[in-house]
Amino acid sequence: MLVRTRSLAVLTGVALTGAALVAGSLTAPAAAQPSGVLVEGRAATGVATAGLGRGIEANVLAGPTARDEDRPADPPAPLPALGGDPLRMPASYPYQPELRVFPSDAADATELNGTVSHADLSPHLTRLMERSDRVSTQVVGRSTEGRDLYLVTVTAPERRAETARQTAWREEIRERPDEALRNRELRADYKTPIWISANIHGDEWEGTDAALRVVERLATADDAGTRSMLEHHRIVFSLTLNPDGRSHATRSTSLGLDANRDMVTLATPEARSYVRTVQAVQPLFAGDFHGYTDVLQVEPAGPPHGENYEYDLFLPHAYAIARQVEDDVVAAEIEGNTYYDRDTGEVVAGNTGSVKIPYRDTPSGWDDYPPVFTAQYALFHGAVASTVELPLKPTGATARADATVNTEVAATVMRSMIDYVHTSSDSMLADQAEMFRRGLAGAPKVALTAENIGAVPGPDEWKQLWDEADDQGAVRLPRAYVIPVGSGQRSASDAEDLVDALLFHGVEVERLAAPTRVAGTTYPSGSYVVDLHQPLRGLANTLLALGSDISEDVPAMYDVSAWSPAYLWGATVERVGGTADGPIGPTAPVRRGAPRGSVPDGARYVAFDVAGVGDHRALNDLLGQGVTVRLTADGRAAVGPRGLRAARDVADRYDISFETVSRAEYAAGELGEDLTVAYAGNQDDRLSLLALGFDDLVPVSAAQIEAGAANGTPTGLEDADVLWVGSSLDLRVGSAGHEHVLSWLHDDGAIVGRGAGAFAAAESYGLVSGTALTGDPASNGIIATSTPGEVLDDHAQDHGFVYPAVWFTDLGEETTTELTYGGFRAGYWRLTREPDGRGSVIGQAAAVSGKVGHARAFVFGTSVFFRTHPRGGLSQAATAIHWAAR
């Protein structure tokens, strides 16, 4: 069903969507087709349109009807190829399309606390658009289950010429900030964007309700202040970025992943929508609403302070916004709200005059450091950003009353933040342009310290709270990062995936037009260069730098403390020069990773390196088609004459470059198998295995195996070739379940997995022996590794991720060390447990294997499947699985 409303503008451009989106069709000529949705990458399996507006000629959504939404859309492929065009914004305002209406559901979680359901949103927005020409709505993507993600813009109407002028100014601020700061017309008339993201954790509901309340007030109020506000700003709302979780009362998306930990990995369509939106809006301020912390909590956050943020441009306004919010919420005297007693650290019912501001009230470890969070990610796009935590959890007997309080608190916070930006936008705009200017100019990165803090202009109250313990870590920026091609690249497929991810993030990437020698190393033509003289240099460097060891800086950390795709995604990336050095070149700009899929003409036997995630997907695709593939001793997959047609297909699909091999090389390889993998684990295990192309997956548990073995019912192992253990498989020795697994292993089964639980499982069947030690559970980061064994040595990697580290000691003679730990390189490893930690881990086994008869085992101590992020670990796991199944 479609709700029809007037539509006074059309969008420009064409948008394609990835596998997460439901296939539709376009009814207008290509030149007029709107693109209010994300563009996914090369692996897109469908085309969808969302919110097609009319202008004078109608575009009607030709995708699924509301009834089609009764069943969830197929989930997207894990680790989708990242690419495609940016999000296109309307060509004029208002943009008022026809919106799909989703069916209501009596079992929707919002029924329990009286908050607005996703099904209510499009009718509500339609009514607002019918009432006001200030309100525009775009669909900027779809959730995992296919629900629309709405972006609502409230602003004074604009003709096409005015919108084009605003777009040009936005680009000038980013690409030519010096000119922008001198442009009097821009400074007077640019409609500075304010962005509120209301609901990215599904079970933190009330931001959406508050946003609708604020939108309605802005849309209908007729006072001079509101009119002035909308003439000088675009106020943009992401009503919910996790409608699936909102409907099911889950924090995570329907992939089982936390979208507010996904801003670097981009495994979820919800996080990809956020990234595309922040690029398109380029907000002056970004507020992200969450819950629940017993009392209202408003950033800025405390130490450790990330090296790549420009705190002198961010903290003055961020702290001033938090203080204004505090004053406004306190003055509002919202019945049922709670307050913070700064003397005792307690949350109380009486009005103390304070809410909680982490920068002021929390000593360390909350939210500031990693860019995986929405607010911290937005900082790298020139925004002042705040995470807001609402106070009361609306799930008990008082759920509806608590939700009412939270909604009023959130609406008050939103109005306060908007008012602050309205009165401070001139200086905030100058700071945003200055951030881009520093990047483009390659200005030295100056860390904010107690010595130079006095020179920072703007509001001052925050300065007295900064001391030497808070000092921002110093960073020496390189001139560039080079991602080489050819023999110097560990994995061509991982390198291309990394380039695609950088481009999706908005990072500028170039390619060498000729071989170039830098500091004694010659990089081949076609190598990728990420020059840090660019507007988003902070984001580029935080993605590609190693990071820092902050173990001695803070007593605790809230989440990941190191995340670098350059060190964890399997590609070779090299740091080159200093920021004051000349450019690396000659180069040409890159729009996407270069297609490289090919099969040599006339060849009868061909092979490709199985080094990266894309290579393993291609290998498993070939095996799934029934193609005979031989796995060679040097880590390649070889195909003979009967498989050449399939080889050409996967070369195109996965950008795989085959090379000619001899018949003898082909014949010497071991036959690969299309594997069925049983797994005991969580969503990280399932999604990572799927991302590697293991599509024949069977979830199992100890209870299921025990019951099946005892009762003659299926255990899940009947057709399995490999058992992946991602958590534990605790079957008592001598039990029916244990004997069943033992019999399965005697029939050529294999155990592969991660952590102490997998080691215990393999040890209980005599496949390995020794002791598994687990580091402090809060410790995580990047650690050096070496590869003394033979399973992982063909395309060896020298770093891994741990959260926490597991290592193996006192190994028996039948147990082989395949990977060892070196020094801890970046992240946080709590030093209070040093006897069990990083000092004693050096040289210890980080992965082991064992064989008894035809049964094999391989166990990782590294966190190879953590949130699908360490993609280098994914390819190691796939290598181990195929080895164990031979």
Side-chain angles (χ1 to χ4, degrees):
M1 175 169 53
L2 291 172
V3 175
R4 299 185 180 276
T5 184
R6 55 203 167 96
S7 188
L8 304 180
V10 295
L11 298 174
T12 58
V14 179
L16 303 179
T17 63
L21 306 187
V22 183
S25 61
L26 300 172
T27 60
Q33 290 165 356
S35 62
V37 295
L38 301 185
V39 181
E40 305 294 348
R42 296 177 302 205
T45 61
V47 176
T49 63
L52 303 191
R54 283 182 178 267
I56 297 175
E57 298 182 10
N59 283 328
V60 179
L61 182 68
T65 66
R67 290 297 109 192
D68 292 324
E69 298 307 321
D70 289 339
R71 68 172 181 84
D74 291 336
L79 303 185
L82 296 173
D85 296 332
L87 177 67
R88 302 289 182 87
M89 300 300 283
S92 62
Y93 289 89
Y95 174 66
Q96 297 184 325
E98 298 172 344
L99 300 177
R100 293 193 300 171
V101 175
F102 290 77
S104 59
D105 181 358
D108 194 289
T110 56
E111 293 292 325
L112 300 177
N113 53 38
T115 52
V116 64
S117 72
H118 182 267
D120 294 331
L121 292 180
S122 66
H124 190 95
L125 293 171
T126 294
R127 291 191 293 270
L128 282 173
M129 291 189 290
E130 288 172 344
R131 292 176 62 189
S132 175
D133 61 0
R134 300 172 180 175
V135 180
S136 300
T137 303
Q138 297 166 255
V139 175
V140 292
R142 291 185 184 161
S143 69
T144 301
E145 293 184 4
R147 293 177 175 90
D148 290 341
L149 307 179
Y150 302 109
L151 187 70
V152 178
T153 301
V154 188
T155 194
E158 300 171 13
R159 296 183 181 275
R160 292 177 68 94
E162 174 59 25
T163 301
R165 185 172 73 142
Q166 293 292 326
T167 300
W169 281 342
R170 184 177 69 244
E171 293 173 356
E172 183 177 330
I173 291 164
R174 184 180 64 251
E175 303 296 338
R176 300 181 304 282
D178 283 331
E179 295 178 24
L181 292 174
R182 295 192 299 267
N183 188 332
R184 294 182 180 180
E185 188 180 11
L186 181 157
R187 288 188 284 120
D189 295 335
Y190 179 55
K191 298 174 78 171
T192 49
I194 303 168
W195 183 27
I196 303 294
S197 175
N199 173 229
I200 194 168
H201 285 150
D203 59 353
E204 298 167 0
W205 291 274
E206 297 89 345
T208 301
D209 297 69
L212 287 172
R213 184 180 299 184
V214 174
V215 168
E216 184 157 8
R217 173 70 175 81
L218 292 169
T220 58
D222 197 34
D223 59 284
T226 301
R227 290 196 299 271
S228 174
M229 175 81 69
L230 299 181
E231 287 168 359
H232 289 88
H233 305 279
R234 290 182 187 159
I235 306 176
V236 183
F237 299 84
S238 293
L239 295 182
T240 172
L241 281 170
N242 187 1
D244 302 344
R246 184 179 188 83
S247 300
H248 305 317
T250 60
R251 176 183 177 92
S252 65
T253 74
S254 287
L255 285 178
L257 298 175
D258 188 334
N260 196 42
R261 304 292 186 274
D262 192 32
M263 294 303 131
V264 171
T265 310
L266 300 177
T268 63
E270 294 84 357
R272 296 193 293 276
S273 178
Y274 183 94
V275 168
R276 283 306 200 202
T277 302
V278 74
Q279 294 166 352
V281 172
Q282 198 172 293
L284 212 58
F285 173 79
D288 197 48
F289 280 71
H290 293 265
Y292 303 96
T293 49
D294 296 327
V295 66
L296 175 66
Q297 186 166 282
V298 185
E299 274 191 323
H305 295 302
E307 300 96 329
N308 291 291
Y309 300 121
E310 305 284 351
Y311 281 107
D312 62 318
L313 304 177
F314 156 61
L315 264 175
H317 287 295
Y319 188 76
I321 287 171
R323 284 286 290 108
Q324 177 166 312
V325 166
E326 181 175 57
D327 291 344
D328 289 345
V329 170
V330 165
E333 292 278 7
I334 298 166
E335 185 176 355
N337 192 27
T338 57
Y339 300 90
Y340 185 64
D341 188 325
R342 293 178 58 197
D343 293 328
T344 66
E346 300 290 329
V347 176
V348 298
N351 193 333
T352 63
S354 297
V355 299
K356 194 171 187 179
I357 301 174
Y359 174 77
R360 180 188 67 193
D361 302 321
T362 303
S364 68
W366 189 78
D367 264 17
D368 195 322
Y369 194 65
V372 299
F373 308 118
T374 49
Q376 272 50 50
Y377 184 87
L379 296 179
F380 288 119
H381 290 268
V384 173
S386 295
T387 296
V388 178
E389 300 279 354
L390 299 176
L392 308 178
K393 190 169 186 177
T395 55
T398 59
R400 288 179 176 256
D402 292 341
T404 298
V405 174
N406 283 342
T407 300
E408 183 59 39
V409 170
T412 303
V413 172
M414 290 177 189
R415 290 192 294 265
S416 180
M417 289 173 161
I418 292 168
D419 287 342
Y420 180 92
V421 180
H422 181 52
T423 58
S424 307
S425 59
D426 288 349
S427 60
M428 293 177 72
L429 180 60
D431 287 346
Q432 184 180 66
E434 171 62 12
M435 192 206 82
F436 294 137
R437 186 204 66 80
R438 291 176 184 179
L440 282 162
K445 183 71 178 66
V446 178
L448 185 64
T449 69
E451 294 182 357
N452 60 22
I453 194 172
V456 177
D460 286 332
E461 183 182 342
W462 65 279
K463 296 179 183 178
Q464 62 186 308
L465 303 170
W466 187 285
D467 59 33
E468 291 183 4
D470 297 333
D471 281 355
Q472 184 183 13
V475 58
R476 185 185 71 82
L477 295 169
R479 172 65 201 219
Y481 292 92
V482 176
I483 305 172
V485 299
S487 60
Q489 179 53 249
R490 193 203 75 86
S491 169
S493 64
D494 285 340
E496 297 294 337
D497 286 346
L498 177 58
V499 169
D500 284 344
L502 292 169
L503 293 170
F504 193 96
H505 280 292
V507 172
E508 295 174 0
V509 182
E510 301 166 298
R511 295 197 84 177
L512 289 175
T516 301
R517 190 168 181 81
V518 182
T521 300
T522 299
Y523 296 103
S525 176
S527 295
Y528 295 102
V529 176
V530 180
D531 193 320
L532 288 195
H533 288 221
Q534 61 172 288
L536 301 186
R537 77 159 179 193
L539 179 58
N541 198 57
T542 204
L543 292 173
L544 296 175
L546 171 65
S548 299
D549 182 354
I550 59 170
S551 303
E552 297 186 11
D553 298 341
V554 289
M557 276 296 290
Y558 182 65
D559 200 73
V560 293
S561 307
W563 51 85
S564 172
Y567 284 78
L568 297 176
W569 281 22
T572 302
V573 181
E574 298 186 8
R575 180 184 175 107
V576 176
T579 190
D581 294 343
I584 311 299
T587 59
V590 173
R591 302 298 175 216
R592 54 157 288 178
R596 59 185 185 87
S598 64
V599 176
D601 291 336
R604 290 177 55 78
Y605 296 92
V606 295
F608 63 94
D609 281 334
V610 187
V613 171
D615 306 318
H616 282 284
R617 289 178 65 84
L619 169 61
N620 284 324
D621 192 334
L622 288 168
L623 293 170
Q625 295 181 53
V627 176
T628 299
V629 181
R630 293 185 177 273
L631 304 177
T632 67
D634 59 354
R636 292 184 294 175
V639 175
R642 294 184 179 180
L644 290 177
R645 177 177 295 180
R648 294 187 185 96
D649 178 58
V650 299
D652 291 340
R653 186 177 305 159
Y654 302 105
D655 271 355
I656 299 298
S657 180
F658 286 79
E659 61 183 5
T660 303
V661 294
S662 68
R663 181 178 180 179
E665 289 176 293
Y666 167 80
E670 295 187 45
L671 283 173
E673 294 183 51
D674 180 27
L675 300 177
T676 296
V677 179
Y679 72 96
N682 61 17
Q683 72 282 347
D684 287 1
D685 301 290
R686 179 176 61 87
L687 293 173
S688 297
L689 290 166
L690 286 172
L692 290 163
F694 295 108
D695 53 2
D696 294 326
L697 297 181
V698 182
V700 298
S701 67
Q704 172 189 345
I705 293 172
E706 189 66 57
N711 302 323
T713 56
T715 65
L717 296 179
E718 287 77 13
D719 298 318
D721 302 290
V722 173
L723 171 60
W724 173 270
V725 180
S727 51
S728 64
L729 193 75
D730 189 8
L731 292 167
R732 180 177 51 83
V733 175
S735 68
H738 191 274
E739 292 299 313
H740 176 79
V741 175
L742 183 61
S743 175
W744 173 78
L745 287 168
H746 285 161
D747 290 336
D748 295 342
I751 293 177
V752 184
R754 58 188 177 104
F759 187 86
E763 187 175 36
S764 73
Y765 297 101
L767 295 173
V768 296
S769 65
T771 302
L773 299 174
T774 301
D776 185 273
S779 299
N780 66 88
I782 299 171
I783 191 167
T785 59
S786 298
T787 312
E790 297 181 355
V791 177
L792 305 177
D793 66 343
D794 289 327
H795 307 287
Q797 302 183 54
D798 48 13
H799 291 91
F801 184 75
V802 292
Y803 198 169
V806 175
W807 59 101
F808 311 106
T809 65
D810 304 321
L811 300 179
E813 292 183 1
E814 78 285 0
T815 306
T816 300
T817 297
E818 299 287 351
L819 202 66
T820 58
Y821 285 118
F824 189 66
R825 300 293 307 279
Y828 173 76
W829 195 314
R830 192 159 60 181
L831 298 180
T832 54
R833 292 189 59 182
E834 177 62 22
D836 300 325
R838 52 189 285 180
S840 59
V841 78
I842 296 175
Q844 299 290 350
V848 296
S849 68
K851 293 184 286 186
V852 175
H854 293 291
R856 297 185 177 191
F858 195 105
V859 182
F860 290 93
T862 52
S863 302
V864 287
F865 280 176
F866 180 79
R867 296 178 188 166
T868 74
H869 174 68
R871 300 187 189 185
L874 266 67
S875 61
Q876 288 179 322
T879 298
I881 288 171
H882 278 291
W883 170 84
R886 294 183 189 178

